[in-house]
Amino acid sequence: MKLPEIVPKFHDSNGPLAAKLLQSPSSFGLGTLPIASHPDSTTVSVCGYCSTGCGLRIHLKDGQAIGLTPANDYPVNIGMACAKGWEALAVLKSDERAATPLLRDDQGILHEIDWAVAGETFCNRFKELQSKYGPGSVAFISTGQIPTEEMAFLGCLAKFGMGMLHGDGNTRQCMATSVVAYKQSFGFDAPPFTYSDLEESDCLVFIGANPCIGHPILWQRVLANKNNAELIVVDPRRTETAMAASDHLAIAPKSDLVLLYGIAKELIEMGAVDNRFIANSTEGYEEFRDFVSRFPMNKVSIATGVSIEKLQRVVQKIANAKRASFWWTMGVNQSHQGVRTAQAIINLALMTGSIGRPGTGANSITGQCNAMGSRLYSNTTSMIGHYDFLRDEDRQKIATILEIPVSSIPNQNSYAYDQIISGIDSGEIRGLWIVATNTAHSWINSPRAKALLSKLDFLVVQDMYRTTDTAMLADLVLPAAGWGEKEGTFINSERRFGPLKKVAKAPGVALADFAIFRFLADVWGCGEMFVKWTHPEAVFQIMKRITEGQPCDITGIRDYKMLDECGGIQWPWTASDQKLQGIPQRERRLFEDGRFFHTNGKAKFLFEEPKSIPEGICDTYPYLLLTGRGTVSQWHTETRTSKSPVLRTLYPKLPYVEIHPNDAEDLGIMAGDQVHVRSRRGTATVKAVITASLRRGNVFMPMHDAQTNRLTLEHVDPMSRQPAYKDCAVQILR
Ligand code: SF4
């Protein structure tokens, strides 16, 4: 591989580390180009946006990507891709890319520096803080956007090598609720489904999910369902998915828990339960049955605002189903009682025996391309491999596999994201390393988040763009390669490991995150600890050993080549599976034997009294603000999607708020008027869109514009600590 021209200058002036980088790029995980066996060939790489994990066929000339088409033989997308996938290469070519390290001077100006200065500054500043305020004074924020091997490296380097005690990831913002719900109910964070369940179900219930926009290729799989399936959508808004539903329950925001308990009560009274499954595979049913008896339909109707007749029609359809499946995303996860809501969905699947069979399941659709990788390997909330930092035997197992002293593994849990933010406020956290996420834009109540990031003694942002709201606040910017410029694996919503390929060169001296971690490990002085972490596939082999005996065991996956040959492989795939079966089936689901991961093999019914949202409407703030995805062509904070001219033409140019026509009339607001949306935290100035897709009294803003989180209320689910973005009180001013 030919390195970027700037590196020889770095080599001349910066000693042995730079020399090593120049002489042996692969030792820093840079990999080699071309990736394809023939330089003018094609290779399949998994998309780097959402958790659907579509396979994209990358077309190469001289080893470099010149275009892509959806892979028609990849089991996830079968020849389809959404606009983001089609434009995945375009966003790499932007003049906003971070191409060289940047350091802020005393006047607040960012200057280009070389990697040696960047590495020394990173280590010196963080070490100074740790020696003055303790190792826990420096923390890190990881991401669901980088390959599994990189997030494993980041988590292990930060915690085991650099002695940081606290690290979390942006997956806290999307998946923490599902993780906790599954863990408590099933005994492990285990989404049970496979995508063919979307096609094989005869009754699909989507709760707080809009796959038509959020997971468009999964929506295509729904449309491929040949069972004339019932499609029930539970959502306060008449979303694109709700418009296609056979039944749309437009419930009052956050009345979902009452609704789900009420449905359970009705199903029990109708006798539409699987008593054999309940007896053999679950525990806590009697208590649950007694509990939900307090949710009669008239009470549910009042709480949800949906008529009893409509509620009963939906219950009857679930009762009639042979293969009912229940799907949820952020409308559930980002709630003040999200874990219990997710578990109320799980309870419905358990009581009807709708799990472990084709077309069934309690199925949480993941958000980011590698949120599942983060859940298992990021070494943040749980220890790498989904072990427990508090258990001596778990720490010893990881220390043995990694060949590191057990004393280097913290015997305490990390702070969650919100606790790290609050730790900055209290002065406990003084330095922060943010990798591939945009906290200043995406964190709830962003005015506070921004103010606190600015308060840090030292903020490092590692990103592929230098212009994110967060990078603009950084003291040190480390330029990173993006999707398509490095190797590794992503794990999608259905637990499928898929390969990420290097098909393009990163700009300037930007490095793969993997290479940055290797480099920083050496500069920090803990490189010896990671001597075997030479390149992503070497880390993949370490990850395999770590999973041995875990529910997510992947010891049967030989190597990256096998992932290519099989169209990705779902976990688990054990060495004995491989020995007995040879080739993994293309689609596999969990719990076919009715055995769960708790020691007694049973799943648990878990429930709790519903609670009111913390910030209800009042005379001063009479509207409830809902947030969510805007269009298929926008991704989160638009760090990448805004760089594609094609995608930009596919979504509204100006930020907007959706208002019900009657509310607009009361307020004297016309379509297109500029309005101020004000909460107790801040104000957004946006365009009014008048639409009857909302209930009266609700307004909606997409999450993509930075103004939206100026308004949101900082509150979290108490168990998952996932922020509840979906509800806060606002006023609308002309
Ligand atoms: Fe990529 Fe998701 Fe679109 Fe598939 S659906 S192409 S994974 S963004």
Side-chain angles (χ1 to χ4, degrees):
M1 176 193 171
K2 191 172 178 305
L3 285 170
E5 279 179 18
I6 197 164
V7 174
K9 180 180 144 222
F10 169 29
H11 170 61
D12 289 345
S13 60
N14 292 291
L17 283 167
K20 188 178 171 193
L21 178 64
L22 183 71
Q23 288 158 12
S24 180
S26 62
S27 70
F28 284 89
L30 293 173
T32 50
L33 282 172
I35 290 299
S37 55
H38 187 279
D40 292 347
S41 182
T42 63
T43 188
V44 173
S45 186
V46 174
C47 178
Y49 282 104
C50 87
S51 68
T52 304
C54 296
L56 303 175
R57 184 169 293 283
I58 316 289
H59 305 275
L60 302 155
K61 185 162 176 51
D62 300 328
Q64 298 288 314
I66 52 168
L68 64 83
T69 47
N72 51 13
D73 52 353
Y74 200 72
V76 168
N77 50 314
I78 327 164
M80 300 177 281
C82 78
K84 296 187 292 294
W86 278 102
E87 280 295 286
L89 291 166
V91 302
L92 300 176
K93 298 177 182 61
S94 160
D95 56 13
E96 294 180 38
R97 289 293 304 271
T100 186
L102 302 168
L103 182 64
R104 197 174 296 281
D105 67 16
D106 294 343
Q107 273 71 51
I109 314 281
L110 283 170
H111 292 276
E112 290 188 0
I113 53 170
D114 61 35
W115 271 110
V117 174
E120 277 160 25
T121 308
F122 177 101
C123 296
N124 290 344
R125 292 300 305 271
F126 278 163
K127 282 182 176 182
E128 273 167 29
L129 290 172
Q130 285 184 321
S131 76
K132 202 162 164 191
Y133 301 107
S137 63
V138 177
F140 68 101
I141 300 290
S142 182
T143 174
Q145 293 291 154
I146 61 176
T148 320
E149 295 77 357
E150 291 186 341
M151 60 177 65
F153 203 162
L154 169 59
C156 290
L157 170 62
K159 283 197 171 174
F160 306 158
M162 296 175 172
M164 296 183 199
L165 297 177
H166 304 298
D168 200 5
N170 62 10
T171 42
R172 178 74 61 183
Q173 294 161 282
C174 65
M175 296 319 300
T177 288
S178 293
V179 174
V180 177
Y182 279 140
K183 226 170 157 170
Q184 292 181 352
S185 295
F186 296 163
F188 198 79
D189 174 20
F193 62 101
T194 189
Y195 289 158
S196 66
D197 289 323
L198 293 160
E199 297 171 8
E200 296 184 52
S201 185
D202 61 4
C203 179
L204 298 104
V205 187
F206 285 96
I207 303 126
N210 185 10
C212 195
I213 291 296
H215 296 86
I217 300 308
L218 295 190
W219 181 242
Q220 294 302 314
R221 300 287 299 260
V222 174
L223 297 180
N225 185 303
K226 293 193 174 59
N227 298 327
N228 196 21
E230 298 291 348
L231 179 60
I232 297 160
V233 173
V234 179
D235 199 308
R237 295 169 57 223
R238 191 160 184 265
T239 62
E240 295 79 356
T241 307
M243 288 178 200
S246 46
D247 296 270
H248 173 209
L249 301 183
I251 61 170
K254 294 301 115 206
S255 62
D256 42 8
L257 196 48
V258 173
L259 171 76
L260 294 162
Y261 290 153
I263 292 174
K265 175 184 184 297
E266 283 289 296
L267 289 170
I268 291 167
E269 287 180 359
M270 293 164 73
V273 294
D274 185 337
N275 288 315
R276 206 166 129 205
F277 185 87
I278 290 169
N280 292 339
S281 299
T282 72
E283 63 181 7
Y285 176 68
E286 286 74 20
E287 294 86 344
F288 176 65
R289 186 188 57 203
D290 293 347
F291 173 77
V292 297
S293 68
R294 293 165 19 214
F295 295 86
M297 276 293 124
N298 60 340
K299 180 174 171 180
V300 177
S301 177
I302 292 166
T304 59
V306 179
S307 70
I308 292 177
E309 296 70 34
K310 197 163 187 182
L311 292 169
Q312 282 173 332
R313 188 169 71 233
V314 163
V315 175
Q316 188 65 55
K317 287 183 176 183
I318 297 171
N320 292 347
K322 301 269 181 300
R323 295 175 168 194
S325 58
F326 303 88
W327 309 81
W328 78 89
T329 60
M330 297 311 139
V332 170
N333 285 352
Q334 293 176 339
S335 310
H336 68 294
Q337 238 180 327
V339 170
R340 290 301 185 226
T341 310
Q343 287 168 338
I345 298 168
I346 292 170
N347 294 343
L348 291 179
L350 294 176
M351 64 191 280
T352 55
S354 301
I355 202 154
R357 292 187 290 113
T360 67
N363 305 330
S364 147
I365 304 173
T366 312
Q368 302 177 78
C369 56
N370 204 17
M372 188 77 239
S374 166
R375 286 150 76 165
L376 295 180
Y377 295 100
S378 65
N379 207 36
T380 51
T381 305
S382 57
M383 195 166 25
I384 184 167
H386 220 47
Y387 291 94
D388 189 342
F389 281 106
L390 304 182
R391 283 169 55 114
D392 291 345
E393 58 269 42
D394 285 4
R395 290 199 310 280
Q396 189 55 60
K397 178 174 178 179
I398 294 301
T400 304
I401 293 171
L402 299 187
E403 299 173 39
I404 60 173
V406 71
S407 57
S408 63
I409 300 181
N411 58 0
Q412 66 179 79
N413 285 326
S414 273
Y415 283 166
Y417 203 142
D418 68 300
Q419 294 166 315
I420 291 173
I421 296 288
S422 292
I424 303 170
D425 206 2
S426 68
E428 187 182 347
I429 305 287
R430 317 290 295 223
L432 190 62
W433 181 14
I434 296 178
V435 178
T437 192
N438 192 2
T439 306
H441 177 143
S442 66
W443 191 250
I444 200 160
N445 185 9
S446 61
R448 176 172 181 251
K450 271 176 116 157
L452 290 173
L453 291 179
S454 305
K455 184 185 160 186
L456 284 161
D457 290 8
F458 198 60
L459 172 63
V460 178
V461 174
Q462 185 168 317
D463 203 286
M464 61 187 285
Y465 296 102
R466 60 185 159 70
T467 51
T468 71
D469 290 329
T470 311
M472 306 275 265
L473 298 173
D475 298 297
L476 175 66
V477 176
L478 302 179
W483 174 92
E485 297 167 342
K486 56 186 180 176
E487 299 168 21
T489 58
F490 291 151
I491 312 175
N492 75 357
S493 279
E494 51 162 6
R495 314 177 317 283
R496 184 181 303 273
F497 278 82
L500 172 68
K501 306 289 175 57
K502 181 173 181 178
V503 293
K505 285 179 180 170
V509 293
L511 295 173
D513 292 280
F514 193 95
I516 297 173
F517 302 141
R518 264 241 57 90
F519 172 64
L520 291 174
D522 284 342
V523 181
W524 189 277
C526 60
E528 284 301 308
M529 238 180 188
F530 301 97
V531 77
K532 292 188 177 166
W533 299 50
T534 51
H535 57 288
E537 195 162 6
V539 173
F540 182 77
Q541 296 300 336
I542 294 170
M543 284 161 39
K544 279 170 58 179
R545 290 206 296 282
I546 285 173
T547 63
E548 188 171 3
Q550 285 285 78
C552 57
D553 190 323
I554 52 162
T555 49
I557 305 178
R558 190 187 63 236
D559 51 21
Y560 284 178
K561 193 158 174 275
M562 184 174 170
L563 291 178
D564 257 343
E565 289 163 356
C566 297
I569 298 173
Q570 291 165 290
W571 65 258
W573 188 247
T574 67
S576 64
D577 291 334
Q578 178 63 18
K579 206 168 161 190
L580 290 172
Q581 299 175 49
I583 301 171
Q585 306 96 299
R586 277 163 79 88
E587 303 252 9
R588 286 180 295 123
R589 62 185 61 77
L590 301 178
F591 311 131
E592 287 178 326
D593 59 358
R595 303 287 297 167
F596 292 85
F597 296 121
H598 285 299
T599 43
N600 64 1
K602 296 191 170 188
K604 292 181 179 172
F605 282 93
L606 296 165
F607 49 89
E608 190 177 303
E609 198 62 47
K611 298 185 174 80
S612 309
I613 55 173
E615 188 179 75
I617 57 170
C618 61
D619 289 346
T620 314
Y621 297 95
Y623 296 94
L624 198 70
L625 172 67
L626 315 178
T627 65
R629 195 172 297 277
T631 67
V632 170
S633 43
Q634 289 167 290
W635 181 250
H636 291 179
T637 64
E638 294 187 314
T639 302
R640 277 182 292 169
T641 47
S642 66
K643 309 302 184 296
S644 155
V646 172
L647 295 179
R648 282 200 304 270
T649 62
L650 295 175
Y651 59 80
K653 278 194 176 52
L654 296 173
Y656 60 92
V657 59
E658 292 182 358
I659 307 172
H660 190 278
N662 297 118
D663 291 332
E665 195 180 341
D666 290 352
L667 291 160
I669 291 171
M670 306 286 282
D673 281 356
Q674 205 172 60
V675 297
H676 303 294
V677 185
R678 183 170 295 158
S679 77
R680 290 178 175 88
R681 274 78 47 201
T683 303
T685 303
V686 293
K687 204 175 80 167
V689 171
I690 316 295
T691 169
S693 63
L694 295 149
R695 296 164 60 98
R696 280 204 76 172
N698 294 171
V699 295
F700 171 81
M701 287 173 68
M703 62 176 155
H704 312 294
D705 189 76
Q707 294 187 83
T708 303
N709 278 324
R710 285 186 203 160
L711 310 173
T712 47
L713 171 71
E714 204 170 356
H715 62 304
V716 299
D717 175 283
M719 283 180 282
S720 69
R721 304 206 73 82
Q722 176 159 349
Y725 286 91
K726 302 292 185 188
D727 51 276
C728 73
V730 294
Q731 55 185 221
I732 312 285
L733 305 166
R734 283 186 69 199

